[in-house]
Amino acid sequence: MNDTSYFPSHNVSEKSAAAMAVPVLMFAGGVIGNITAIAALSGSNQGRKSSAFFALVCGLAVTDLLGTCLASPITIATYLDRNVLDDRNLCEFHSFLLLFFGVAGLSIIFAMSGERYLAICCPYTYQRCGIDKYFARKCLFCIYFSNIVFCCLPVMGMSESTCQPSQTWCFINWRANELLPAAYSFLYASVSFLLILMTIILNFAVCGTLLIMRRRKVQNPVTRGSTRARWTALSSDVEAQMMTVLMVTSVVVLGCSAPLVVRVFANQITQKENSQADLAAIRIAAVNAILDPWIYILLRRTLFRKVRKFSKRVYSSRKSKTPCSQSDHHQGLAATKGTLQAAMHSQAGSSPSSSSLSGRKAQCPACSIDFIDD
């Protein structure tokens, strides 16, 4: 980006090596994370593999891995030879890769949020539509096909690809004065903005529904040790995991993808060049492919179980350090409470059976959380 003709050659090479370290580290992080995610997916049980969410997660992992393996080597090569992107065909191909994998990743994440929304908020619609792994595969095919056509429009003449001032990446001409190139810039930014917005809205809707379900369960106390109590504890773990993953997803999608959308609008509207901000925006967008596998696959329910067991262990160790008088008092209260509960349980005998709970679970797809697990 800056003129380096006034610096000695060894300083130039040192600066080039230091600058190349960023894309190299991002390339390594994306490849290692997504390969680890694919390996974790291959080890999942057969029941998980039949779900729609599993198919979408597989599509996201493969998409992120392909995007990293295809686009990053070209960027790294530009630090070794600044004239790499002088080839017009290679520049258009690199621009297509950045366009396609950016909007394709957002589309798959939006589809995953939509699948969770239908499963939790509209369970009967979810069942009636028969949303399974085959439906998800058709959805992935439609996403790939539509985005390929959409991102090929610049090659077809609607816009043009230009090498950016840093000479390390190519993108659409987002400061065009002609009508069609400017329209494509606004269209691409608008589609990306809508995908981000709808993903966040769906995630918050699911979280709100889960909070309402949890409040209803708190208002309906259950007998300790009953089957319903065990199911409530299990579903609480699942709800906590789901809400955490959805909130983290919203933050990552907004934080990684929004800067590039803002730069597209800003460049096209103001017509002012800010190559540093543009480079930072495209790098932040690339971080999304690095974080995706850690959010959706490596952040599994087993981790939540381990954290919960550790917190219980810490809490019990602190409780054991209380004075003897207090512990005796608490033990007396616990014994009295246990006697009363045992008497009520023996008299009422109205705890829901495991068969009724399993039937309720089978009727509601929201009860079967499709996040990847061991």
Side-chain angles (χ1 to χ4, degrees), residues 42-54:
S42 62
S44 300
N45 57 51
Q46 203 64 30
R48 297 287 175 184
K49 291 181 179 180
S50 62
S51 67
F53 193 84
F54 184 93

Side-chain angles (χ1 to χ4, degrees), residues 6-68:
Y6 299 102
F7 295 95
S9 59
H10 66 278
N11 290 336
V12 174
S13 60
E14 289 177 0
K15 290 181 64 177
S16 179
M20 188 173 61
V22 176
V24 168
L25 290 177
M26 294 178 66
F27 173 71
V31 171
I32 294 174
N34 285 286
I35 289 179
T36 304
I38 294 174
L41 286 170
S42 62
S44 300
N45 57 51
Q46 203 64 30
R48 297 287 175 184
K49 291 181 179 180
S50 62
S51 67
F53 193 84
F54 184 93
L56 293 174
V57 171
C58 289
L60 181 65
V62 173
T63 302
D64 288 339
L65 182 61
L66 285 176
T68 302

Side-chain angles (χ1 to χ4, degrees), residues 33 36-37 40 292-303 372:
T36 304
D292 282 342
W294 300 97
I295 297 173
Y296 290 108
I297 302 168
L298 305 182
L299 194 61
R300 298 181 292 174
R301 199 185 307 164
T302 51
L303 177 62
I372 308 306

Side-chain angles (χ1 to χ4, degrees), residues 91-101 147-148 151-152:
C91 184
E92 289 182 348
F93 178 67
H94 194 240
S95 176
F96 168 79
L97 292 177
L98 297 181
L99 289 171
F100 172 74
F101 287 106
N147 285 327
I148 286 175
C151 295
C152 281

Side-chain angles (χ1 to χ4, degrees), residues 87-290:
D87 186 349
R88 183 66 182 173
N89 295 328
L90 184 61
C91 184
E92 289 182 348
F93 178 67
H94 194 240
S95 176
F96 168 79
L97 292 177
L98 297 181
L99 289 171
F100 172 74
F101 287 106
V103 73
L106 288 178
S107 301
I108 297 176
I109 293 174
F110 167 71
M112 295 166 68
S113 299
E115 190 272 345
R116 285 294 85 197
Y117 175 81
L118 290 177
I120 301 299
C121 303
C122 309
Y124 297 105
T125 303
Y126 187 91
Q127 283 188 340
R128 187 169 62 250
C129 294
I131 298 178
D132 54 8
K133 64 178 182 180
Y134 301 105
F135 183 91
R137 289 173 183 174
K138 295 178 182 178
C139 182
L140 287 173
F141 175 79
C142 293
I143 288 174
Y144 291 143
F145 180 77
S146 59
N147 285 327
I148 286 175
V149 173
F150 178 58
C151 295
C152 281
L153 291 179
V155 182
M156 298 176 184
M158 188 171 181
S159 183
E160 60 178 352
S161 301
T162 59
C163 185
Q164 301 302 309
S166 63
Q167 296 182 345
T168 57
W169 58 294
C170 287
F171 207 64
I172 56 174
N173 184 9
W174 46 14
R175 283 182 291 270
N177 296 320
E178 296 80 6
L179 178 60
L180 281 180
Y184 184 82
S185 298
F186 284 120
L187 181 61
Y188 183 83
S190 300
V191 169
S192 301
F193 172 76
L194 289 177
L195 289 173
I196 296 171
L197 180 63
M198 292 304 298
T199 298
I200 295 175
I201 290 175
L202 290 176
N203 287 345
F204 273 91
V206 172
C207 291
T209 304
L210 291 175
L211 290 175
I212 294 174
M213 293 167 59
R214 185 175 181 84
R215 185 178 303 175
R216 289 176 180 174
K217 284 188 294 186
V218 171
Q219 293 175 353
N220 298 323
V222 296
T223 304
R224 185 178 180 183
S226 65
T227 307
R228 184 182 174 190
R230 291 194 295 271
W231 170 247
T232 301
L234 176 61
S235 61
S236 298
D237 289 343
V238 173
E239 290 169 5
Q241 182 211 17
M242 177 173 286
M243 285 189 290
T244 302
V245 171
L246 292 177
M247 295 304 296
V248 172
T249 301
S250 301
V251 172
V252 170
V253 169
L254 181 62
C256 293
S257 302
L260 182 60
V261 176
V262 171
R263 290 308 307 163
V264 175
F265 279 121
N267 282 320
Q268 193 60 57
I269 294 174
T270 64
Q271 298 288 320
K272 293 181 180 179
E273 181 179 327
N274 190 344
S275 58
Q276 293 285 355
D278 296 340
L279 181 61
I282 199 67
R283 284 180 174 176
I284 294 174
V287 173
N288 200 359
I290 301 175

